Amino acid sequence: MPTPDFILTLRDMIGVHPLWLPGVKAVVADDAGRLLLVRRADNGRWTVPAGIVEPGEEPAATAVREVFEETGVHVSVTHLAGVGITAPVVYPNGDQAQYLDVVMACAFVAGQERVNDDENLEVAWFPADALPDLPPLHRRAVEWALDPQRRAHFVGSPSVAEA
């Protein structure tokens, strides 16, 4: 899916100035333990499905929506795997953004994987121990989602004394 309309509206008002946006990464596993990845059209890299939370949308709903929009696969969210932030990004057109990075672990429900949008070149399942090279925050998302304790990870969590 192209840039959401609400971001285009904001860009009309603020130009290329930084936007702080909530984003979701969805780490999808099937019953065999394989992970669903997409190969992006913009840079050719393999990643987990990801996208921007729409206004009023719950992050878990974003994960389900983005996975279907990108891959044609239906999933259910099993748990929150972690929350962090991305580094600031400057896009080729000069737009600046930084993302709250919400990682959801998801389970395959139904569907046949396929390229279901114009953002990706390929969609494929990979064994968890034989993943292609992933960008660091996508690798982190996979590690968090596969944590056997199913605990949520929080980057830089201050102690009560520090807060």
Side-chain angles (χ1 to χ4, degrees):
M1 176 175 197
T3 304
D5 289 339
F6 82 95
I7 293 176
L8 297 175
T9 300
L10 287 170
R11 287 289 176 208
D12 285 342
M13 292 185 275
I14 69 163
V16 298
H17 295 285
L19 278 177
W20 173 250
L21 296 167
V24 170
K25 288 183 176 71
V27 180
V28 180
D30 68 5
D31 290 339
R34 298 178 306 163
L35 301 181
L36 184 64
L37 300 178
V38 296
R39 192 163 67 85
R40 296 175 50 98
D42 61 352
N43 62 19
R45 303 239 12 222
W46 286 98
T47 69
V48 299
I52 296 169
V53 180
E54 298 278 345
E57 185 177 43
E58 294 288 346
T62 302
V64 170
R65 176 180 56 78
E66 286 289 341
V67 171
F68 181 76
E69 285 178 1
E70 294 185 13
T71 72
V73 169
H74 296 280
V75 301
S76 63
V77 173
T78 60
H79 65 280
L80 172 67
V83 178
I85 63 170
T86 69
V89 177
V90 179
Y91 292 98
N93 67 356
D95 287 352
Q96 300 173 60
Q98 188 169 11
Y99 297 89
L100 177 68
D101 192 21
V102 179
V103 179
M104 299 287 184
C106 302
F108 170 80
V109 173
Q112 179 62 46
E113 75 279 356
R114 66 182 184 276
V115 174
N116 205 35
D117 64 9
D118 59 357
E119 294 179 15
N120 297 297
L121 301 171
E122 292 181 72
V123 175
W125 292 97
F126 291 88
D129 61 355
L131 298 175
D133 181 44
L134 299 175
L137 293 183
H138 290 261
R139 174 68 61 183
R140 176 179 81 179
V142 168
E143 290 169 2
W144 286 356
L146 297 182
D147 180 344
Q149 295 178 4
R150 292 181 65 163
R151 61 190 167 115
H153 297 259
F154 300 97
V155 176
S157 299
S159 68
V160 173
E162 297 172 302

